[in-house]
Amino acid sequence: MTFFIRLLAAFAALIPASLAAQTSDFQSPSIVILGDSQIPFGSGPVFLEFFENIKGHCPPTPEQAANLEVLADMKVAVIGVRSTSLHSWTAKMGRAKGAICDVDPKWKVNAGTYGFINTTGNKYKQIGQGDAYQFCEKDMSAFQTMFRAGYYEPKLILLSFLGNSAKRWAGSYDKALEDVQNMNAQLPTGVPCIFMTTAPSYSKKITDLRLKAQANVRRAFAETGSQCSFVEGATPETVAANQGNKKYFRLSKSGKVKDPYHPNERAAKTFFMIAMEDICTAVYDQIDAAMPDLASR
């Protein structure tokens, strides 16, 4: 009997944590928003509020309102993992995947999470720890692990990335194309999807590089026929709002901008006001196109 118990214990130890999550009480959110460190540094609460109150922000037509009922439970999950890019979520190994799956050596957490999957009051989590964050399997990408059958099965996905891919995409259209092709292959087929580039920085130099990157990745979305709608986060209006505007960024005690990369929550609210029409159009375009298949999920 003792040998049998030990054998069972040894077998259980071999079961990947993500497979164990399939038998847990985890419930998939209906709306999933994934992004980088802009989410925990400012935009996370704004993403959450916007999508939990989508009808208020994007007043629907009667037909759109009927289609929006597929999201009626409004279980919104917002996850932002620092130093990640689109490439991080499609990579099966190496430093790109490590940005998601490696435990932060200093803080022991690498993500900010909000909404349905986080009821603890502490936004900071480490990906790979906890039923809701089992995205790290050997020889599989985070997308492949996250969107496997029986785990995350959303009815709307929004991806928000740009900054950590700026050099990669600005310097090479082929790299932008590769990342979008991998994303297209790994996202759940038929699920409404929006890709929105992140908000502009405080610095003109940083924003100029990101604009080049945005142009290349926008082209890649168009040329691959991606299922995702593409929304430009860096527009003349959002650049004008953020660039050089100290009140939208964290300041040092001397009053200088100490972090030009991450707009604060105040900036995020303005960003959503400016981009609202484009976001609303993308939401309804995606959901309307997916009906009636989406309703059967």
Side-chain angles (χ1 to χ4, degrees), residues 106-117:
K106 181 177 181 180
W107 303 107
K108 309 304 179 185
V109 289
N110 68 344
T113 69
Y114 306 83
F116 177 69
I117 58 170

Side-chain angles (χ1 to χ4, degrees), residues 20-272:
Q22 290 185 5
T23 61
S24 75
D25 294 330
F26 176 79
Q27 289 183 300
S28 175
S30 51
I31 301 174
V32 171
I33 297 156
L34 298 176
D36 56 25
S37 53
Q38 280 205 8
I39 284 177
F41 275 96
S43 66
V46 185
F47 267 116
L48 180 63
E49 190 279 331
F50 185 91
F51 280 93
E52 284 186 334
N53 299 284
I54 189 71
K55 288 184 180 179
H57 293 296
C58 304
T61 66
E63 182 180 359
Q64 289 170 339
N67 290 344
L68 204 61
E69 286 303 307
V70 299
L71 301 175
D73 59 9
M74 285 301 160
K75 295 176 181 176
V76 183
V78 183
I79 304 173
V81 187
R82 70 171 188 84
S83 301
T84 55
S85 64
L86 184 61
H87 179 46
S88 304
W89 290 85
T90 63
K92 297 181 181 180
M93 62 185 69
R95 291 180 62 185
K97 182 179 179 181
I100 293 175
C101 296
D102 292 347
V103 177
D104 184 275
K106 181 177 181 180
W107 303 107
K108 309 304 179 185
V109 289
N110 68 344
T113 69
Y114 306 83
F116 177 69
I117 58 170
N118 188 352
T119 59
T120 65
N122 181 357
K123 68 181 178 181
Y124 296 111
K125 305 293 179 183
Q126 172 62 47
I127 299 302
Q129 298 176 9
D131 284 352
Y133 312 106
Q134 294 299 321
F135 310 151
C136 303
E137 285 297 316
K138 185 177 180 181
D139 299 323
M140 294 176 65
S141 75
F143 274 165
Q144 289 173 324
T145 310
M146 182 179 194
F147 295 123
R148 69 183 182 276
Y151 196 35
Y152 273 74
E153 298 178 319
K155 294 182 177 180
L156 175 65
I157 300 166
L158 187 145
L159 308 173
S160 181
F161 296 98
L162 183 60
N164 295 304
S165 297
K167 290 183 179 179
R168 177 180 172 88
W169 290 347
S172 172
Y173 170 70
D174 288 341
K175 291 294 185 183
L177 180 64
E178 176 187 339
D179 289 351
V180 173
Q181 287 174 328
N182 287 336
M183 181 209 73
N184 291 342
Q186 294 182 23
L187 287 180
T189 302
V191 175
C193 171
I194 299 167
F195 184 93
M196 183 170 71
T197 50
T198 48
S201 74
Y202 176 81
S203 160
K204 183 178 186 301
K205 181 179 179 180
I206 295 169
T207 297
D208 286 348
L209 180 68
R210 292 184 180 186
L211 287 170
K212 292 179 182 178
Q214 180 176 263
N216 276 344
V217 76
R218 180 180 64 234
R219 175 186 164 194
F221 270 85
E223 293 189 358
T224 61
S226 175
Q227 74 188 64
C228 302
S229 292
F230 185 88
V231 176
E232 289 188 337
T235 66
E237 293 78 15
T238 60
V239 170
N242 282 13
Q243 191 168 285
N245 188 348
K246 293 174 66 173
K247 69 181 181 181
Y248 281 174
F249 294 85
R250 275 163 292 283
L251 306 178
S252 65
K253 291 182 179 180
S254 67
K256 293 183 178 180
V257 172
K258 64 179 180 180
D259 178 4
Y261 298 96
H262 302 102
N264 58 29
E265 186 171 340
R266 184 179 183 181
K269 290 177 180 179
T270 298
F271 173 86
F272 270 78

